[in-house]
Amino acid sequence: MRERERAVADRILAAETPPAVEAALLESYAEEPYDIDALITELGSRGQRLTESGRPAEAALVAALTGEVEECRALLEQMADARARIEAGHTRRTWPTGVRPPQHMKRTVLEQDLADLVERGDLDLALRAAHRAREVPIVAPVEQVAVIGARSSLAGRLRAAGRHREALGLLEDLELPPSVVEGSVPLQIVATRFHLLRGLLHEDAGDHRLGRRDYRTALDHAVSAGVGSWRFRAWTCLAASFGKAGRHRQAVTEYRRIVEFTRTLGDPQCFVAALNDLGTALRDAGDRDAARSHHLHVLAVFEALQARGAAQSAAWFRLGDLARDAQDTDGALSAYTQGFWSALAADATRDGVIDTMTRLHEVLPGDDELLETATLFAMTLIEQEGEDWLLVWSLRRGLGGLAQRLGHHESAVALLRELAGDAASKGTQWRLTATGELVDGLLLWHGQEGRREILQEAFDVLWRARAGMAADLDDGAGTSAEHHAVVTNYRHIHLRLADLLLDHGGELRLPDSRTPTELAFDLHEEIRAGASLRQMAQAPMTPPDGVPEDLKRAEGELLAALTGPSLTVERQRVAAVRLTGVHDRMAAYAPDYVRLRRGRPFRFADLRHHLRSRPDAGHSAFVSFHCGARATTVFTYLPDTDRLTAARVPVGEQRLSELVRRLRRTFDGSPHDFPPLAPLHPRRPGRRDLSFLAELTPLLAVFLPLTGGRDVLYVCNDGPLHGLPLSAVPTPEGPPLAARHAVVQVSGASALLYAAARHPPRPGEPTGRTPEVFCASVAAREDPEPQRLEDDAELLRAAGWPVTALTGEQATRQAVLDRLGTAAVAHITCHGYFDTREPLDSGLLLAQNGRRPGKMPEGQSLIARLDHMLTARDLARSALPTRLLTLRACASGLRDEHSAGDVEGLVQALLYAGAGTVIAALWNVDEDSSRRFLVDFYSGLRSDPGQPLWRAFWHAQQKMLETPGRPWEAHPYHWAALALFSDGSDNWRHP
């Protein structure tokens, strides 16, 4: 065996990741050619020796590397062919000097010139060559392969240099014809690589849906090629994209599948990488205990194999992140230190340096030595390997951090300003990250010197960054860009601005006449409504009188085009631009309508005007919560006194999420735990502890002194608070909040005002006439007494309401949806299902084809589930005239606690579709007590037609709380299970 092949084998065995293996193969061949078959033979011999010496795991790793060599064979052979042509005297790698290439090869020649420039490292010249080559048409499908190969090489180098937009411009309009790649494994791999790179570039530009489209195509090519490692890479990119877009449940689902897939590959590297990725996704989804167990599993695998690798280092870093989440700084620093030295031991120094500096840009007690060490290694790497944009970025972070630790804050800020300047052209995520770190540095400097101009600079930097959200949302209007992802990216910017205003508002020069508290409220509302209003803007609305008919018609056609399922991205962009032009012209006739259509958040001034003009202004208050990592901000507005206040309570998102999980476990049980916990016994609810709800009392304590004498609170929850029964939280004096106030949950200030503008005032019912109620009732096949769920029509008739009913097998999905489209009042009794992974797939279980539904839809096929379930997604696409809709269905009021204001759950979908008021359950309701509660509610509503809906609901709560029919019904499990949700627009009944 020749020494050259042995040296290459040593080099690739030292690489710890598939990309590093590929780079080692290509770089080694560029330095000095080697025999591919001889290299494979050498690896086979080493694997055999490892097997014979009782080291099967390491032998499996060698076998995986052999597969990597086979995957790169086509590229290595192309390199050999190019070298042979050059050595034969050809100045171009594609065609000899002095010989005119055939017409169909002209573009290929130009692309190979481009590739030569890339190899020389002259990226600017290569970019100009690419633009010149684009003028020559591609005349043969096979030429597309050469074009994609050359441009992918240049795009990859540009991306590594942080020039993402230029890189995307090279690849955006390219496609590989199926006829070219079909049946060719090497070309399927080329196609996989191309789509993976383009997907990453789309995501660098903030367009996660286009990124996922490329990842799915890459995955299809990898599956067709039958190469497991490439399938793993493409699938991992797809799962990661869901996480970047804030769709953490979907990311967890995909990573679980990937972990199972890697078990079939027999490749420990892929398996541990997938475990780490799943752990990260679980952390993002709020399940930190499960995340920790997966990272510990990775460490256990390496210990069992007695091996080292980059995934081991990554596991340590992510365990450090979890410790930091729990404010365990000692544990975090210990894990980061382990991660750094593990990376060095695994010959992954660059990754270890970057991971360390990324995490230590904020000061951790005692981290000086680790940061200094990482900084020295970064400087050495840059000296040895030349410019590496990400490494240089990390070095500047490290140097800035060291300056801060030495008290040299002015020098640190100077470095961070350079960092922010460089990041301005690197895409939204990098720009926002650099902005946050610059503000951190400025605030540390302000803390040392107290100079007002430093504080002002921090505010101005954040304010300029915040303006980018509206621009990014507009760029994505009508295209596949995800509004949710945009809002998620900017959330920390808005929260930091709001905190500055609440802490230092009196010291700041503000951009307009709003007070610091009003400005902080508006910033929170921008984040809450930024995504949901864009969704609502495409809902059915009739332009007001006075708008020319041609504009109405043009708008309708363009809105239909934008929501069409088969519209291409390019056509969506064109339609979005045209719609903007139509709205510009409509603004002269109907400015308020155009504002709604553009999905612009409302301001506090708009809310003030709306609430002060309502009939209940004298006895109502508006309370808005905003959950942060460490504290929850509470805004309180009193319309009659025109007073807005703000306070922060040190209860953060993580603790609130834990309380939500504990509440659900207490009431609904936990059958999957060991030992399993049964649901709460309805007659013995006091046997389980609810004292943890008192942890929420400080949230009430900040507004209760202000709201005395006001009957109703319009409450806007946020994040995990959506899953907690605020009415059952004890006040500082002891009784629950419901003893003092009615609680009406609204989606937000902008959603409230949007509904008021979208829906014209609904006239009151004529005297002496009660609206007919549509009642649908259906039990599950497993219910032993279906009539107990299917006689709610009698409940309504007994209260004096005229009823039209669909019962049992008649209550089909389509029949119920059709009747909801015409009903003013509706009542639905059935089983509900909340999908924790995809809340829009939550729904009501109804009959189909003469059969009642099953109780457990997760155990059914997708088709069977869709047949029987009326989902939140179905309802969000509807237009409902319903003023009151009661859902006596388990879990019908649950929603995704991690959503950024999106339509996430049944209630939000119903309000979005036009329902005025919705009554829904926060947990699995008891049949008897929920029935008794609703009898009291409907009877009270019928007996006093002049009262508002919320008052009848509140009286029913108070009656069950103060004079229960049975002693156990005074427990919150019974009287607080149903909650009242409203869009605030329904004026059917006035106080």
Side-chain angles (χ1 to χ4, degrees), residues 621-639:
F622 183 88
V623 181
S624 183
F625 295 99
H626 299 270
C627 301
R630 295 183 175 87
T632 296
T633 303
V634 186
F635 291 95
T636 308
Y637 176 62
L638 309 178

Side-chain angles (χ1 to χ4, degrees), residues 20-105:
V21 171
E22 180 179 313
L25 286 168
L26 298 178
E27 289 166 7
S28 297
Y29 201 94
E31 293 162 4
E32 180 184 348
Y34 51 84
D35 187 296
I36 302 169
D37 291 322
L39 175 59
I40 291 173
T41 302
E42 169 65 8
L43 289 171
S45 299
R46 295 191 184 197
Q48 182 65 29
R49 289 197 296 272
L50 288 168
T51 301
E52 292 171 354
S53 60
R55 297 158 70 182
E58 292 173 70
L61 288 174
V62 173
L65 292 176
T66 304
E68 292 284 341
V69 176
E70 284 288 359
E71 290 175 19
C72 289
R73 182 186 286 274
L75 294 175
L76 294 171
E77 288 173 351
Q78 288 178 17
M79 292 175 69
D81 184 52
R83 181 181 292 273
R85 287 198 297 273
I86 292 171
E87 290 174 353
H90 300 168
T91 57
R92 288 178 174 166
R93 299 190 305 171
T94 308
W95 209 255
T97 304
V99 179
R100 188 180 181 87
Q103 178 68 28
H104 72 275
M105 292 295 290

Side-chain angles (χ1 to χ4, degrees), residues 543-611:
D545 295 337
V547 176
E549 289 300 320
D550 61 325
L551 292 180
K552 291 182 181 180
R553 187 166 51 254
E555 184 200 44
E557 292 171 354
L558 291 168
L559 285 170
L562 287 172
T563 55
S566 60
L567 195 67
T568 66
V569 172
E570 292 74 16
R571 290 184 179 178
Q572 278 186 324
R573 291 185 192 278
V574 172
V577 172
R578 289 180 58 198
L579 183 61
T580 299
V582 169
H583 283 154
D584 287 342
R585 294 166 60 196
M586 291 179 76
Y589 305 95
D592 292 339
Y593 174 79
V594 170
R595 178 180 183 174
L596 291 176
R597 278 300 190 197
R598 286 177 167 166
R600 296 285 190 263
F602 288 85
R603 290 185 172 185
F604 172 73
D606 303 306
L607 179 70
R608 168 194 279 139
H609 175 75
H610 175 72
L611 293 180

Side-chain angles (χ1 to χ4, degrees), residues 371 398-413 415:
L371 185 57
L399 292 173
L402 287 173
Q404 288 171 347
R405 286 153 176 76
L406 294 171
H408 302 160
H409 294 290
E410 186 171 5
S411 299
V413 166
L415 281 167

Side-chain angles (χ1 to χ4, degrees), residues 103 152 392 632 772 780:
Q103 178 68 28
S152 295
V392 171
T632 296
E772 185 176 69

Side-chain angles (χ1 to χ4, degrees), residues 212-278:
R212 286 201 295 277
R213 189 179 72 172
D214 270 313
Y215 297 146
R216 287 192 175 98
T217 304
L219 185 56
D220 290 341
H221 284 297
V223 170
S224 297
V227 181
S229 58
W230 281 107
R231 182 178 175 184
F232 168 73
R233 292 179 211 182
W235 203 349
T236 297
C237 286
L238 177 62
S241 179
F242 286 115
K244 292 175 192 174
R247 296 174 60 180
H248 303 304
R249 301 175 312 280
Q250 189 65 35
V252 168
T253 298
E254 295 298 329
Y255 280 127
R256 289 190 193 281
R257 293 170 179 164
I258 293 170
V259 168
E260 292 307 310
F261 169 69
T262 59
R263 294 180 190 276
T264 69
L265 285 180
D267 184 347
Q269 292 185 70
C270 293
F271 176 62
V272 292
L275 282 176
N276 269 334
D277 291 336
L278 175 55

Side-chain angles (χ1 to χ4, degrees), residues 37-234:
D37 291 322
L39 175 59
I40 291 173
T41 302
E42 169 65 8
L43 289 171
S45 299
R46 295 191 184 197
Q48 182 65 29
R49 289 197 296 272
L50 288 168
T51 301
E52 292 171 354
S53 60
R55 297 158 70 182
E58 292 173 70
L61 288 174
V62 173
L65 292 176
T66 304
E68 292 284 341
V69 176
E70 284 288 359
E71 290 175 19
C72 289
R73 182 186 286 274
L75 294 175
L76 294 171
E77 288 173 351
Q78 288 178 17
M79 292 175 69
D81 184 52
R83 181 181 292 273
R85 287 198 297 273
I86 292 171
E87 290 174 353
H90 300 168
T91 57
R92 288 178 174 166
R93 299 190 305 171
T94 308
W95 209 255
T97 304
V99 179
R100 188 180 181 87
Q103 178 68 28
H104 72 275
M105 292 295 290
K106 283 186 177 181
R107 180 64 181 267
T108 300
V109 171
L110 292 173
E111 296 292 339
Q112 291 294 354
D113 284 344
L114 182 161
D116 289 339
L117 292 169
V118 173
E119 284 187 8
R120 284 164 39 188
D122 199 333
L123 300 186
D124 290 320
L125 275 178
L127 197 56
R128 287 200 289 273
H131 293 318
R132 287 196 304 271
R134 184 170 283 173
E135 298 172 3
V136 177
I138 298 171
V139 297
V142 73
E143 269 194 305
Q144 194 78 303
V145 178
V147 173
I148 282 178
R151 288 172 184 263
S152 295
S153 176
L154 175 55
R157 295 284 291 274
L158 288 169
R159 182 173 187 264
R163 299 166 64 175
H164 305 109
R165 292 190 180 276
E166 293 169 294
L168 180 57
L170 288 169
L171 307 182
E172 203 165 17
D173 59 349
L174 295 178
E175 293 296 340
L176 266 172
S179 60
V180 173
V181 300
E182 190 175 354
S184 169
V185 171
L187 290 181
Q188 292 280 13
I189 293 170
V190 168
T192 301
R193 291 161 59 93
F194 163 69
H195 284 287
L196 285 179
L197 175 58
R198 193 169 69 178
L200 290 168
L201 290 167
H202 276 307
E203 292 205 288
D204 291 338
D207 197 333
H208 300 293
R209 285 194 181 175
L210 280 181
R212 286 201 295 277
R213 189 179 72 172
D214 270 313
Y215 297 146
R216 287 192 175 98
T217 304
L219 185 56
D220 290 341
H221 284 297
V223 170
S224 297
V227 181
S229 58
W230 281 107
R231 182 178 175 184
F232 168 73
R233 292 179 211 182

